[in-house]
Amino acid sequence: MSAMLETMIKSIPPLLLAATAGYLPFRAGVLNIGLEGLMIVGAFAGFLASAATGSWLLGVLTAALVAGAAAAIFAWTVQSLESNIFLSGLGLNLAAAGLVGIASQVGFGSKGVLRPEMIANRTFPSGNSTAGFLLAAAAFVLMAYMLRKSRAGHLLISAGESEENLETFGASLKRIRLIALTLSGIGCGAAGALLSLDIGAYVPNMTGGRGWIALVALYIAAGRPAGLLGTVLLFAAAGAAATSFQGISGVPDSLLLAAPFVITLAGLLASSALRGRLGKGRK
């Protein structure tokens, strides 16, 4: 039980950080489908920066900046070029995995696992799980406070719920959504960095669908920060249980590893069914 709890605690920060990041554009009325791709970019950039500098903090900051820049470009294509946000988001996910693979091959001669000694002859900073947990928790609390208490938060919510109110404040809908999408990239980049810095290596597709799980958490939370936190904790517990039971329960490992995604799908279906009943009840 203690091992499972430890695994759960370690899995919470990247997932909570990604969900918190995605929550901002979600409340602004746009859904960032590219969370998974932004986490991949962050995991790669964060690992390279930490391996080159020997600094955990510089790794996280670099990942946040690189993924934030990628998200800003994505937001520009959506807001200024008026491209379809869903197709652009899917394109971002595919492009992130592909470009990172190309960069890895060109720069280090491998599309597989990258280790610190392939980047620089220095000691790689050990994973700082406490700092990662504090970072994710601080980001969540700050987000919840901003949306509830600050003018910026009220403008962001108005962008998603009452666009006409923005005219009263003289705010630009496109600008608010651009900022929200860029901030989501910054948060996802940091989330991806936590994954690679925790194990001290970059592994292709190491995000393991966490960006997609974060998207589902947004939908289930239905605009409530407390609901978002609860959903993230549920998914983290499911993933930890699946990892802890591998090899000892008699159930195939592949089925156990799929458990978090099965629970994610079940939660999505249950949420949809509940909303449908509530909608009929109001009629």
Side-chain angles (χ1 to χ4, degrees):
M1 181 63 71
S2 59
M4 187 176 76
L5 181 60
E6 182 180 353
T7 301
M8 176 183 171
I9 292 175
K10 289 182 65 175
S11 67
I12 289 173
L15 183 56
L16 178 59
L17 197 51
T20 299
Y23 192 78
L24 293 173
F26 178 76
R27 290 307 306 268
V30 288
L31 190 61
N32 188 351
I33 303 295
L35 299 184
E36 180 81 1
L38 292 168
M39 288 185 71
I40 291 174
V41 170
F44 184 70
F47 167 75
L48 292 183
S50 285
T53 64
S55 170
W56 183 91
L57 179 59
L58 286 178
V60 173
L61 290 176
T62 300
L65 291 175
V66 173
I73 295 173
F74 163 66
W76 175 73
T77 65
V78 172
Q79 296 296 305
S80 298
L81 301 183
E82 298 182 353
S83 62
N84 183 282
I85 190 170
F86 295 101
L87 295 179
S88 295
L90 290 174
L92 173 59
N93 290 328
L94 294 174
L99 292 175
V100 164
I102 293 173
S104 179
Q105 178 66 49
V106 172
F108 312 104
S110 173
K111 287 187 177 181
V113 177
L114 294 182
R115 303 188 183 281
E117 56 269 21
M118 301 170 66
I119 314 300
N121 187 21
R122 66 168 70 244
T123 302
F124 192 82
S126 59
N128 195 329
S129 56
T130 300
F133 193 90
L134 291 176
L135 175 62
F140 175 79
V141 171
L142 179 61
M143 176 273 294
Y145 177 84
M146 181 196 73
L147 292 178
R148 186 176 180 85
K149 298 292 186 179
S150 72
R151 180 177 184 274
H154 295 159
L155 289 176
L156 187 142
I157 293 174
S158 294
E161 296 181 356
S162 182
E163 297 179 14
E164 59 274 11
N165 287 345
L166 293 178
E167 298 179 1
T168 304
F169 294 103
S172 167
L173 175 64
K174 286 187 175 181
R175 183 179 181 185
I176 290 174
R177 289 179 173 175
L178 171 63
I179 293 173
L181 286 168
T182 302
L183 289 175
S184 73
I186 291 173
C188 282
L194 294 183
L195 293 174
S196 58
L197 299 186
D198 182 56
I199 65 172
Y202 173 77
V203 181
N205 300 316
M206 67 187 307
T207 52
R210 288 176 177 83
W212 295 109
I213 293 176
L215 279 175
V216 174
L218 298 177
Y219 181 79
I220 294 177
R224 298 184 300 273
L228 182 69
L229 178 60
T231 305
V232 166
L233 294 178
L234 173 63
F235 291 160
T243 301
S244 299
F245 291 148
Q246 287 183 59
I248 63 173
S249 63
V251 180
D253 288 351
S254 57
L255 183 60
L256 286 171
L257 290 174
F261 300 98
V262 173
I263 293 176
T264 300
L265 178 60
L268 184 60
L269 294 175
S271 176
S272 298
L274 180 60
R275 289 182 185 180
R277 289 187 178 183
L278 291 176
K280 291 180 180 179
R282 291 192 184 98
K283 294 178 182 180

